[in-house]
Amino acid sequence: VVSFVLARSQWRQKGLTEYAVAVGTWVDCFPTFASLDAVKLHATVTGPGLVYPQNVTSADFALQVEDDPYRNTEEGQGFPDQLFYKAAFYAAGARIDYPWAWRFHPLATSVSDAADVTEGEDDSKVQTTVLPQQPAQDPFPVGFLPEVDYGQLQALTRTLHVGGWVNFSFTIGSSTLNLEAMPLVRLTSHLENAGIYDRCYDLGGFEKSGETCWLYEKLKSVCIQVKSSGGWSLNQRNAGLGSSYGCHYDSGKWTPFEYERVEIHSGPGTVWPRPDGSADFTQVGVEVRSAQDPLFGAMELTSGGLSFGWTEEEEDVLSLVLLVVGIALVLQPLCIGYRRYRSWAKGGHPSRNWRRYRAQDTFDQYRHRDAAEMIGMRYETHDDL
């Protein structure tokens, strides 16, 4: 128990120390990144399945400044003040809901929640639990990313059908950053072993040709990391991957594009079941973040989980639980051993006289044998059998 607690404490302290260094670096970079001019997004959409042609090709980014993800949350309890900071990024379209956001439970989500306080409670403590209101973002205008008909997808390979290709281009000051072309809608397949439960149906897909499961997905968000080195460029976090400049950790791949699954409503009799209507992209979100943002450093330190381990209070509770469980596991063998010892003590300890009893039994066995059987055994030959 002691070794486990010490190891967890050292791991947590090491992670927080490295995270503090990242926060200190970001504080120096914040003024420069938050004062960028002419941050624009350009998109070129081509390919099959477009319901109508693209009529808007550019959109403006808006600067967003908000608290770091740990402030006023259960995960951030016990953090020193120097680990909290202001995050800055540029956003266009709808707001992005990151997969890790569900881990952070706010201590209070509104002023009304914080105002519900019992008498005698410190008001200053209540004020620290009020979360700031998140700025609203306007969705993309209709025509910036045209709708795609699910029934007009093109077979690119045997396991991939696509509809609508989009090329994003970012303008930051005098720098232009181009991303690779990605499909707006894709239909992918993978093998799904047959069993009692229809896992493909649970995933929102449909089966075709035995154990092949097909899934519809549409573009949900785009987020990139940029760095300044004379000009602005994409920040590759994994040298072995060509597109590791995104904000989604994805097991260290740092993907810039995120897709969401689309439910299928067509009946099983359809040759190619597909979602109803067409894919709409007005709620797609696009963000530009600095590579110095401590959020990315925290992701690398925690393998994407953004949890630096248990606090001292949680470790104390775990130690107490393990101690009680250990005592309970040891108590029963001790009771059994004590009962056996008492029973042996009453009738003499058999283990001390075992060899003497065994030798006496062997002697009596041979002493009472019929002596006639032993006559002539020394002179027994094969002919006597």
Side-chain angles (χ1 to χ4, degrees):
V1 173
V2 174
S3 300
F4 177 79
V5 172
L6 290 177
R8 294 288 299 185
S9 300
Q10 292 177 358
W11 182 84
R12 175 182 172 86
Q13 187 60 39
K14 180 180 178 181
L16 291 178
T17 301
E18 296 182 13
Y19 180 65
V21 175
V23 173
T25 304
W26 168 248
V27 172
D28 298 333
C29 299
F30 177 87
T32 302
F33 186 76
S35 59
L36 296 179
D37 295 327
V39 183
K40 292 184 176 294
L41 172 67
H42 306 272
T44 303
V45 182
T46 59
L50 300 182
V51 177
Y52 49 83
Q54 182 184 20
N55 52 35
V56 180
T57 59
S58 63
D60 293 329
F61 281 99
L63 175 65
Q64 304 288 339
V65 178
E66 61 184 25
D67 290 332
D68 63 276
Y70 292 104
R71 188 187 299 268
N72 299 325
T73 63
E74 293 182 1
E75 295 285 345
Q77 284 186 309
F79 278 18
D81 293 339
Q82 59 267 27
L83 294 186
F84 299 117
Y85 64 94
K86 288 291 183 179
F89 59 93
Y90 294 87
R95 186 174 182 84
I96 298 179
D97 295 328
Y98 288 99
W100 46 260
W102 66 270
R103 289 186 54 85
F104 296 87
H105 309 289
L107 301 179
T109 57
S110 64
V111 177
S112 59
D113 293 341
D116 187 13
V117 185
T118 58
E119 295 183 1
E121 188 169 353
D122 188 4
D123 293 337
S124 62
K125 179 180 179 180
V126 177
Q127 295 298 326
T128 60
T129 61
V130 179
L131 294 180
Q133 297 294 327
Q134 300 296 339
Q137 295 178 204
D138 297 328
F140 285 119
V142 177
F144 180 71
L145 297 176
E147 295 183 6
V148 175
D149 187 355
Y150 290 110
Q152 301 295 324
L153 303 185
Q154 180 183 13
L156 191 63
T157 63
R158 295 182 59 183
T159 60
L160 176 62
H161 297 194
V162 298
W165 290 92
V166 57
N167 291 85
F168 286 109
S169 177
F170 298 82
T171 300
I172 306 176
S174 58
S175 303
T176 300
L177 313 178
N178 298 313
L179 307 188
E180 67 271 19
M182 293 295 294
L184 290 174
V185 175
R186 64 187 185 185
L187 175 62
T188 60
S189 68
H190 66 276
L191 293 178
E192 194 69 49
N193 296 329
I196 300 177
Y197 303 101
D198 190 352
R199 177 171 170 77
C200 184
Y201 177 81
D202 295 338
L203 294 175
F206 66 93
E207 292 184 354
K208 190 176 180 65
S209 302
E211 298 180 351
T212 303
C213 180
W214 292 83
L215 299 172
Y216 281 95
E217 296 176 318
K218 70 174 185 178
L219 185 65
K220 179 181 179 181
S221 65
V222 182
C223 182
I224 63 172
Q225 303 179 38
V226 297
K227 62 180 180 180
S228 176
S229 54
W232 292 96
S233 61
L234 298 173
N235 180 61
Q236 298 282 355
R237 284 193 170 266
N238 193 332
L241 299 176
S243 58
S244 60
Y245 48 79
C247 306
H248 307 287
Y249 182 74
D250 193 14
S251 301
K253 298 178 182 177
W254 295 104
T255 55
F257 301 95
E258 183 185 11
Y259 287 82
E260 62 179 345
R261 292 171 183 166
V262 184
E263 295 183 0
I264 299 174
H265 302 287
S266 301
T270 309
V271 178
W272 279 97
R274 59 178 181 269
D276 296 336
S278 56
D280 178 75
F281 301 99
T282 55
Q283 296 300 318
V284 171
V286 182
E287 291 184 0
V288 177
R289 291 179 174 265
S290 172
Q292 302 298 329
D293 194 327
L295 173 65
F296 303 130
M299 287 185 179
E300 288 184 330
L301 292 172
T302 60
S303 300
L306 292 181
S307 176
F308 289 97
W310 295 331
T311 62
E312 294 183 0
E313 292 78 7
E314 293 173 334
E315 290 175 350
D316 293 341
V317 173
L318 177 63
S319 302
L320 181 60
V321 171
L322 292 178
L323 184 61
V324 172
V325 172
I327 294 174
L329 293 176
V330 174
L331 189 60
Q332 184 177 7
L334 288 177
C335 294
I336 295 175
Y338 178 73
R339 291 173 58 185
R340 289 190 175 183
Y341 172 77
R342 292 292 302 272
S343 62
W344 290 342
K346 291 180 180 180
H349 204 301
S351 60
R352 292 178 296 185
N353 303 321
W354 180 83
R355 293 184 179 275
R356 183 169 62 84
Y357 293 156
R358 180 63 178 170
Q360 184 68 27
D361 291 344
T362 305
F363 175 77
D364 294 341
Q365 177 182 359
Y366 285 98
R367 186 182 63 175
H368 297 295
R369 272 194 174 186
D370 190 356
E373 291 186 9
M374 308 300 295
I375 298 175
M377 294 301 291
R378 292 181 56 189
Y379 308 101
E380 180 182 9
T381 63
H382 180 72
D383 296 337
D384 295 333
L385 299 178

mmCIF file of all heavy atoms in Angstrom, residues 135-161:
data_model
loop_
_atom_site.group_PDB
_atom_site.id
_atom_site.type_symbol
_atom_site.label_atom_id
_atom_site.label_comp_id
_atom_site.label_asym_id
_atom_site.label_seq_id
_atom_site.Cartn_x
_atom_site.Cartn_y
_atom_site.Cartn_z
ATOM 1 N N PRO A 135 -18.688 32.155 -24.996
ATOM 2 C CA PRO A 135 -19.169 33.004 -26.090
ATOM 3 C C PRO A 135 -19.860 32.177 -27.159
ATOM 4 O O PRO A 135 -19.444 31.073 -27.491
ATOM 5 C CB PRO A 135 -17.867 33.639 -26.623
ATOM 6 C CG PRO A 135 -16.787 32.682 -26.223
ATOM 7 C CD PRO A 135 -17.229 32.072 -24.932
ATOM 8 N N ALA A 136 -20.938 32.723 -27.682
ATOM 9 C CA ALA A 136 -21.678 32.041 -28.740
ATOM 10 C C ALA A 136 -20.956 32.222 -30.072
ATOM 11 O O ALA A 136 -20.303 33.241 -30.320
ATOM 12 C CB ALA A 136 -23.095 32.593 -28.812
ATOM 13 N N GLN A 137 -21.074 31.231 -30.931
ATOM 14 C CA GLN A 137 -20.459 31.283 -32.242
ATOM 15 C C GLN A 137 -21.533 31.063 -33.299
ATOM 16 O O GLN A 137 -22.424 30.233 -33.142
ATOM 17 C CB GLN A 137 -19.365 30.207 -32.374
ATOM 18 C CG GLN A 137 -18.200 30.431 -31.434
ATOM 19 C CD GLN A 137 -17.154 29.338 -31.545
ATOM 20 O OE1 GLN A 137 -16.388 29.095 -30.631
ATOM 21 N NE2 GLN A 137 -17.106 28.664 -32.684
ATOM 22 N N ASP A 138 -21.439 31.829 -34.370
ATOM 23 C CA ASP A 138 -22.392 31.715 -35.469
ATOM 24 C C ASP A 138 -21.993 30.561 -36.368
ATOM 25 O O ASP A 138 -20.811 30.373 -36.674
ATOM 26 C CB ASP A 138 -22.432 33.015 -36.279
ATOM 27 C CG ASP A 138 -22.932 34.186 -35.438
ATOM 28 O OD1 ASP A 138 -23.768 33.944 -34.546
ATOM 29 O OD2 ASP A 138 -22.478 35.325 -35.677
ATOM 30 N N PRO A 139 -22.954 29.747 -36.817
ATOM 31 C CA PRO A 139 -22.624 28.647 -37.736
ATOM 32 C C PRO A 139 -22.218 29.175 -39.099
ATOM 33 O O PRO A 139 -22.403 30.362 -39.421
ATOM 34 C CB PRO A 139 -23.934 27.854 -37.799
ATOM 35 C CG PRO A 139 -24.993 28.860 -37.484
ATOM 36 C CD PRO A 139 -24.380 29.803 -36.490
ATOM 37 N N PHE A 140 -21.662 28.290 -39.897
ATOM 38 C CA PHE A 140 -21.263 28.677 -41.242
ATOM 39 C C PHE A 140 -22.499 29.031 -42.061
ATOM 40 O O PHE A 140 -23.569 28.429 -41.892
ATOM 41 C CB PHE A 140 -20.510 27.536 -41.928
ATOM 42 C CG PHE A 140 -19.101 27.369 -41.431
ATOM 43 C CD1 PHE A 140 -18.710 26.182 -40.837
ATOM 44 C CD2 PHE A 140 -18.175 28.386 -41.562
ATOM 45 C CE1 PHE A 140 -17.422 26.015 -40.375
ATOM 46 C CE2 PHE A 140 -16.875 28.228 -41.104
ATOM 47 C CZ PHE A 140 -16.498 27.049 -40.510
ATOM 48 N N PRO A 141 -22.366 29.998 -42.988
ATOM 49 C CA PRO A 141 -23.513 30.326 -43.848
ATOM 50 C C PRO A 141 -23.827 29.187 -44.808
ATOM 51 O O PRO A 141 -22.953 28.385 -45.167
ATOM 52 C CB PRO A 141 -23.031 31.573 -44.595
ATOM 53 C CG PRO A 141 -21.536 31.481 -44.572
ATOM 54 C CD PRO A 141 -21.193 30.824 -43.271
ATOM 55 N N VAL A 142 -25.073 29.104 -45.199
ATOM 56 C CA VAL A 142 -25.491 28.076 -46.151
ATOM 57 C C VAL A 142 -24.769 28.308 -47.473
ATOM 58 O O VAL A 142 -24.750 29.416 -48.000
ATOM 59 C CB VAL A 142 -27.010 28.111 -46.349
ATOM 60 C CG1 VAL A 142 -27.435 27.087 -47.407
ATOM 61 C CG2 VAL A 142 -27.725 27.858 -45.032
ATOM 62 N N GLY A 143 -24.155 27.266 -47.984
ATOM 63 C CA GLY A 143 -23.414 27.382 -49.235
ATOM 64 C C GLY A 143 -21.915 27.353 -49.054
ATOM 65 O O GLY A 143 -21.181 27.168 -50.020
ATOM 66 N N PHE A 144 -21.436 27.537 -47.797
ATOM 67 C CA PHE A 144 -19.992 27.450 -47.558
ATOM 68 C C PHE A 144 -19.527 26.006 -47.681
ATOM 69 O O PHE A 144 -18.524 25.722 -48.350
ATOM 70 C CB PHE A 144 -19.656 28.024 -46.189
ATOM 71 C CG PHE A 144 -18.189 27.975 -45.864
ATOM 72 C CD1 PHE A 144 -17.296 28.810 -46.513
ATOM 73 C CD2 PHE A 144 -17.699 27.103 -44.914
ATOM 74 C CE1 PHE A 144 -15.935 28.767 -46.230
ATOM 75 C CE2 PHE A 144 -16.347 27.050 -44.614
ATOM 76 C CZ PHE A 144 -15.463 27.884 -45.279
ATOM 77 N N LEU A 145 -20.241 25.108 -47.041
ATOM 78 C CA LEU A 145 -20.016 23.671 -47.193
ATOM 79 C C LEU A 145 -21.335 23.065 -47.672
ATOM 80 O O LEU A 145 -22.231 22.808 -46.870
ATOM 81 C CB LEU A 145 -19.571 23.020 -45.874
ATOM 82 C CG LEU A 145 -18.233 23.498 -45.296
ATOM 83 C CD1 LEU A 145 -17.976 22.830 -43.948
ATOM 84 C CD2 LEU A 145 -17.082 23.214 -46.250
ATOM 85 N N PRO A 146 -21.493 22.851 -48.972
ATOM 86 C CA PRO A 146 -22.781 22.383 -49.512
ATOM 87 C C PRO A 146 -23.178 21.025 -48.952
ATOM 88 O O PRO A 146 -22.338 20.226 -48.522
ATOM 89 C CB PRO A 146 -22.519 22.300 -51.028
ATOM 90 C CG PRO A 146 -21.313 23.145 -51.265
ATOM 91 C CD PRO A 146 -20.491 23.049 -50.022
ATOM 92 N N GLU A 147 -24.482 20.771 -48.962
ATOM 93 C CA GLU A 147 -24.996 19.486 -48.517
ATOM 94 C C GLU A 147 -24.588 18.388 -49.506
ATOM 95 O O GLU A 147 -24.380 18.649 -50.692
ATOM 96 C CB GLU A 147 -26.519 19.536 -48.403
ATOM 97 C CG GLU A 147 -27.007 20.504 -47.337
ATOM 98 C CD GLU A 147 -28.518 20.482 -47.209
ATOM 99 O OE1 GLU A 147 -29.154 19.629 -47.872
ATOM 100 O OE2 GLU A 147 -29.063 21.312 -46.461
ATOM 101 N N VAL A 148 -24.504 17.171 -48.985
ATOM 102 C CA VAL A 148 -24.090 16.021 -49.788
ATOM 103 C C VAL A 148 -25.195 14.970 -49.706
ATOM 104 O O VAL A 148 -25.670 14.644 -48.608
ATOM 105 C CB VAL A 148 -22.753 15.427 -49.295
ATOM 106 C CG1 VAL A 148 -22.399 14.160 -50.064
ATOM 107 C CG2 VAL A 148 -21.640 16.456 -49.420
ATOM 108 N N ASP A 149 -25.598 14.439 -50.861
ATOM 109 C CA ASP A 149 -26.626 13.411 -50.937
ATOM 110 C C ASP A 149 -25.996 12.059 -50.587
ATOM 111 O O ASP A 149 -25.018 11.637 -51.214
ATOM 112 C CB ASP A 149 -27.231 13.373 -52.340
ATOM 113 C CG ASP A 149 -28.432 12.439 -52.434
ATOM 114 O OD1 ASP A 149 -28.733 11.754 -51.428
ATOM 115 O OD2 ASP A 149 -29.063 12.398 -53.502
ATOM 116 N N TYR A 150 -26.566 11.371 -49.569
ATOM 117 C CA TYR A 150 -26.028 10.075 -49.159
ATOM 118 C C TYR A 150 -26.153 9.019 -50.258
ATOM 119 O O TYR A 150 -25.413 8.037 -50.251
ATOM 120 C CB TYR A 150 -26.744 9.591 -47.898
ATOM 121 C CG TYR A 150 -26.414 10.378 -46.663
ATOM 122 C CD1 TYR A 150 -27.363 11.212 -46.071
ATOM 123 C CD2 TYR A 150 -25.162 10.298 -46.067
ATOM 124 C CE1 TYR A 150 -27.069 11.936 -44.928
ATOM 125 C CE2 TYR A 150 -24.849 11.020 -44.929
ATOM 126 C CZ TYR A 150 -25.815 11.839 -44.360
ATOM 127 O OH TYR A 150 -25.514 12.554 -43.227
ATOM 128 N N GLY A 151 -27.082 9.211 -51.175
ATOM 129 C CA GLY A 151 -27.277 8.220 -52.232
ATOM 130 C C GLY A 151 -26.394 8.421 -53.438
ATOM 131 O O GLY A 151 -26.473 7.633 -54.394
ATOM 132 N N GLN A 152 -25.537 9.447 -53.430
ATOM 133 C CA GLN A 152 -24.684 9.744 -54.583
ATOM 134 C C GLN A 152 -23.199 9.628 -54.250
ATOM 135 O O GLN A 152 -22.372 10.328 -54.838
ATOM 136 C CB GLN A 152 -24.989 11.164 -55.094
ATOM 137 C CG GLN A 152 -26.422 11.388 -55.513
ATOM 138 C CD GLN A 152 -26.795 10.533 -56.716
ATOM 139 O OE1 GLN A 152 -25.977 10.297 -57.616
ATOM 140 N NE2 GLN A 152 -28.046 10.057 -56.740
ATOM 141 N N LEU A 153 -22.871 8.743 -53.332
ATOM 142 C CA LEU A 153 -21.466 8.576 -52.967
ATOM 143 C C LEU A 153 -20.729 7.786 -54.047
ATOM 144 O O LEU A 153 -21.306 6.951 -54.745
ATOM 145 C CB LEU A 153 -21.345 7.859 -51.622
ATOM 146 C CG LEU A 153 -22.062 8.512 -50.433
ATOM 147 C CD1 LEU A 153 -21.754 7.751 -49.156
ATOM 148 C CD2 LEU A 153 -21.683 9.978 -50.292
ATOM 149 N N GLN A 154 -19.440 8.068 -54.137
ATOM 150 C CA GLN A 154 -18.595 7.413 -55.140
ATOM 151 C C GLN A 154 -17.707 6.379 -54.470
ATOM 152 O O GLN A 154 -17.104 6.652 -53.417
ATOM 153 C CB GLN A 154 -17.726 8.451 -55.863
ATOM 154 C CG GLN A 154 -16.812 7.855 -56.922
ATOM 155 C CD GLN A 154 -15.927 8.911 -57.557
ATOM 156 O OE1 GLN A 154 -15.830 10.027 -57.051
ATOM 157 N NE2 GLN A 154 -15.304 8.573 -58.668
ATOM 158 N N ALA A 155 -17.618 5.182 -55.062
ATOM 159 C CA ALA A 155 -16.777 4.115 -54.519
ATOM 160 C C ALA A 155 -15.323 4.412 -54.845
ATOM 161 O O ALA A 155 -14.910 4.322 -56.003
ATOM 162 C CB ALA A 155 -17.200 2.770 -55.090
ATOM 163 N N LEU A 156 -14.561 4.758 -53.816
ATOM 164 C CA LEU A 156 -13.136 5.048 -54.013
ATOM 165 C C LEU A 156 -12.324 3.767 -53.950
ATOM 166 O O LEU A 156 -11.423 3.552 -54.756
ATOM 167 C CB LEU A 156 -12.670 6.050 -52.964
ATOM 168 C CG LEU A 156 -11.289 6.657 -53.168
ATOM 169 C CD1 LEU A 156 -11.248 7.475 -54.448
ATOM 170 C CD2 LEU A 156 -10.905 7.530 -51.975
ATOM 171 N N THR A 157 -12.627 2.904 -52.979
ATOM 172 C CA THR A 157 -12.022 1.576 -52.868
ATOM 173 C C THR A 157 -13.139 0.599 -52.500
ATOM 174 O O THR A 157 -14.305 0.975 -52.386
ATOM 175 C CB THR A 157 -10.909 1.543 -51.800
ATOM 176 O OG1 THR A 157 -11.480 1.822 -50.516
ATOM 177 C CG2 THR A 157 -9.825 2.580 -52.108
ATOM 178 N N ARG A 158 -12.775 -0.659 -52.272
ATOM 179 C CA ARG A 158 -13.772 -1.658 -51.900
ATOM 180 C C ARG A 158 -14.331 -1.412 -50.506
ATOM 181 O O ARG A 158 -15.417 -1.882 -50.177
ATOM 182 C CB ARG A 158 -13.155 -3.055 -51.950
ATOM 183 C CG ARG A 158 -12.724 -3.505 -53.348
ATOM 184 C CD ARG A 158 -12.170 -4.914 -53.316
ATOM 185 N NE ARG A 158 -13.146 -5.863 -52.821
ATOM 186 C CZ ARG A 158 -12.899 -7.157 -52.636
ATOM 187 N NH1 ARG A 158 -11.691 -7.649 -52.900
ATOM 188 N NH2 ARG A 158 -13.844 -7.964 -52.171
ATOM 189 N N THR A 159 -13.601 -0.678 -49.684
ATOM 190 C CA THR A 159 -14.035 -0.426 -48.304
ATOM 191 C C THR A 159 -14.303 1.045 -48.019
ATOM 192 O O THR A 159 -14.524 1.411 -46.864
ATOM 193 C CB THR A 159 -12.973 -0.931 -47.318
ATOM 194 O OG1 THR A 159 -11.727 -0.234 -47.569
ATOM 195 C CG2 THR A 159 -12.751 -2.425 -47.472
ATOM 196 N N LEU A 160 -14.302 1.910 -49.037
ATOM 197 C CA LEU A 160 -14.480 3.342 -48.808
ATOM 198 C C LEU A 160 -15.263 3.962 -49.953
ATOM 199 O O LEU A 160 -14.864 3.868 -51.112
ATOM 200 C CB LEU A 160 -13.121 4.038 -48.665
ATOM 201 C CG LEU A 160 -13.146 5.557 -48.508
ATOM 202 C CD1 LEU A 160 -13.892 5.956 -47.238
ATOM 203 C CD2 LEU A 160 -11.730 6.133 -48.504
ATOM 204 N N HIS A 161 -16.398 4.584 -49.607
ATOM 205 C CA HIS A 161 -17.187 5.387 -50.527
ATOM 206 C C HIS A 161 -17.192 6.821 -49.999
ATOM 207 O O HIS A 161 -17.342 7.032 -48.781
ATOM 208 C CB HIS A 161 -18.611 4.859 -50.648
ATOM 209 C CG HIS A 161 -18.691 3.483 -51.222
ATOM 210 N ND1 HIS A 161 -19.881 2.931 -51.670
ATOM 211 C CD2 HIS A 161 -17.761 2.529 -51.442
ATOM 212 C CE1 HIS A 161 -19.678 1.713 -52.123
ATOM 213 N NE2 HIS A 161 -18.377 1.440 -51.972
#
